[in-house]
Amino acid sequence: TASLLMALTLQGTSAVAEEGPEQGVEQSRLAAADKNVRLRTTLPETERAISIAFAEYGRKDVAFVSGEFGLKTFDVTDVDQPRLLDHLTKQEMALPGDDPEQRFWENEDINVDPKRKLAFLAREVNSFGRALPGDRPTGNYIVSAVDPADLKILTFHRQNTGHTSTCVNDCQYLWTAGRDRSVDNTGRIFVTDLRDPRNPKELPVSVDVRGVG
């Protein structure tokens, strides 16, 4: 995974074609953090990508790329020749009342359960063009990636926040942070029980991030 992180970049986000020592090889827009890091290739059709994660499937390495377009999976076992496996489109993720032509937003930190092969995507208030005074659902999409070439939404778990979600305790629980839209509006991390991924349950406990006390 570490080697993949160093070798791959997302097309249209952090690399640009330039003339350099190696003609025809894309060069990074940003100065490398380490002189030994070099760009190997880019993942195709990932413009407007936001976050990336990796999972192992036997001897196969799979990249999960989340963006305004939804979720894409790539076989990156051969780093130099990544291959698209599936695309869970934003149209498939749209809820009743959404404008499916608008962007999915934003899921800055996609997490993948490496054992059960689940992906978690957090949804923010302004996804799919939602605006006040209308309803603006937030929460998490739970996606089955048992077959990374056939992504399936198990459920959308609505919560009073949605920005970033992080696996806790082997992805048995999910911590979701963002604007607290609950009545209490205390500023907290919401905790979800994911032991049954088809029926996630928000727990009454939460993580207070106000630094009070």
Side-chain angles (χ1 to χ4, degrees), residues 143-163:
V143 179
S144 171
V146 172
D147 179 355
D150 187 21
L151 301 173
K152 297 182 182 298
I153 298 176
L154 296 182
T155 189
F156 174 71
H157 178 51
R158 183 162 181 167
Q159 294 179 279
N160 282 314
T161 196
H163 181 68

Side-chain angles (χ1 to χ4, degrees), residues 47-88:
E47 293 85 356
R48 313 302 294 176
I50 296 172
S51 60
I52 187 170
F54 298 89
E56 294 181 349
Y57 288 75
R59 295 184 178 182
K60 180 188 297 184
D61 293 314
V62 174
F64 290 75
V65 182
S66 171
E68 295 180 15
F69 46 75
L71 176 64
K72 293 185 177 184
T73 48
F74 293 86
D75 183 341
V76 292
T77 309
D78 182 348
V79 175
D80 294 312
Q81 296 184 352
R83 182 170 60 90
L84 177 67
L85 295 175
D86 197 15
H87 179 193
L88 182 65

Side-chain angles (χ1 to χ4, degrees), residues 125-141:
V125 292
N126 53 353
S127 280
F128 298 103
R130 293 281 191 152
L132 292 174
D135 184 29
R136 298 193 294 169
T138 52
N140 285 283
Y141 295 89

Side-chain angles (χ1 to χ4, degrees), residues 68-70 88-94 100-102 104 128:
E68 295 180 15
F69 46 75
L88 182 65
T89 68
K90 61 182 182 179
Q91 287 81 6
E92 293 175 274
M93 298 172 63
E101 297 307 313
Q102 297 290 326
F104 165 65
F128 298 103

